Amino acid sequence: MELKNKIIILAGLSSNGKDTILNELVSNHGFNSFISHTTRNKRPSETEGKEYFFISKEEFFEKDKSGQFVESRHYITTVNGLRDTFYYGLSKSQVDNRNKPCCVILDKQGSIDFANYIGIENVVLIYLEIDKEISRQRNIKRGDYDEI
């Protein structure tokens, strides 16, 4: 399959290995990655503009309302005993200005919205799934949510 003008979407639940595969494609196979905006706090291992663009909820809502995102989504979670909602969105400008094979991590609805925006013929969707208990333990280990 020719991937020159295709965009690989990696989808699946949290902690299923999507970042590992994305990093492999970028580091060793000549892909660019699209970087989503998020309102969640930056993890100690993350770098602004590498994994995400970290923005306030106010900035996110402004961008979303003005139609700057191809797709947007939110997740409700509990971290350090506090419930919070984290928002994510992928900017149209990144997608429209790509110049080589790209990959992106999205959820199910984001994948549908993205494919509708870019054209399904331009997308290769890879859905990753692992045992739910392994996924839960990975999430707890990296601090994505509290153990319940």
Side-chain angles (χ1 to χ4, degrees), residues 7-138:
I7 297 169
I8 294 178
I9 298 175
L10 301 171
L13 298 176
S14 183
S15 296
N16 279 349
K18 299 177 299 291
D19 287 306
T20 301
I21 293 172
L22 181 133
N23 290 334
E24 173 68 21
L25 291 170
V26 170
S27 297
N28 298 316
H29 300 282
F31 281 76
N32 279 342
S33 67
F34 294 129
I35 302 167
S36 291
H37 291 74
T38 185
T39 63
R40 76 160 171 75
N41 292 329
K42 185 171 73 74
R43 296 178 189 133
S45 63
E46 293 175 324
T47 303
E48 168 68 26
K50 182 177 178 195
E51 290 85 4
Y52 291 99
F53 295 112
F54 297 93
I55 61 175
S56 70
K57 287 182 181 177
E58 293 76 21
E59 287 178 276
F60 185 91
F61 296 144
E62 286 176 24
K63 289 177 180 295
D64 198 29
K65 184 177 179 180
S66 66
Q68 294 182 39
F69 294 132
V70 172
E71 61 82 37
S72 62
R73 59 207 181 276
H74 71 278
Y75 302 100
I76 300 170
T77 189
T78 302
V79 179
N80 298 322
L82 301 172
R83 285 190 64 77
D84 200 354
T85 302
F86 300 142
Y87 295 87
Y88 296 81
L90 181 62
S91 70
K92 290 179 179 177
S93 62
Q94 286 185 78
V95 176
D96 294 343
N97 296 316
R98 69 189 186 285
N99 61 3
K100 65 188 219 180
C102 294
C103 50
V104 63
I105 294 172
L106 298 171
D107 67 2
K108 180 182 175 182
Q109 186 58 52
S111 299
I112 293 167
D113 294 343
F114 187 92
N116 286 335
Y117 181 79
I118 200 76
I120 196 162
E121 68 279 2
N122 297 311
V123 168
V124 175
L125 174 64
I126 300 172
Y127 187 84
L128 303 169
E129 187 172 356
I130 63 170
D131 180 79
K132 288 182 182 178
E133 180 58 23
I134 293 171
S135 178
R136 187 179 79 78
Q137 289 300 323
R138 288 180 181 177

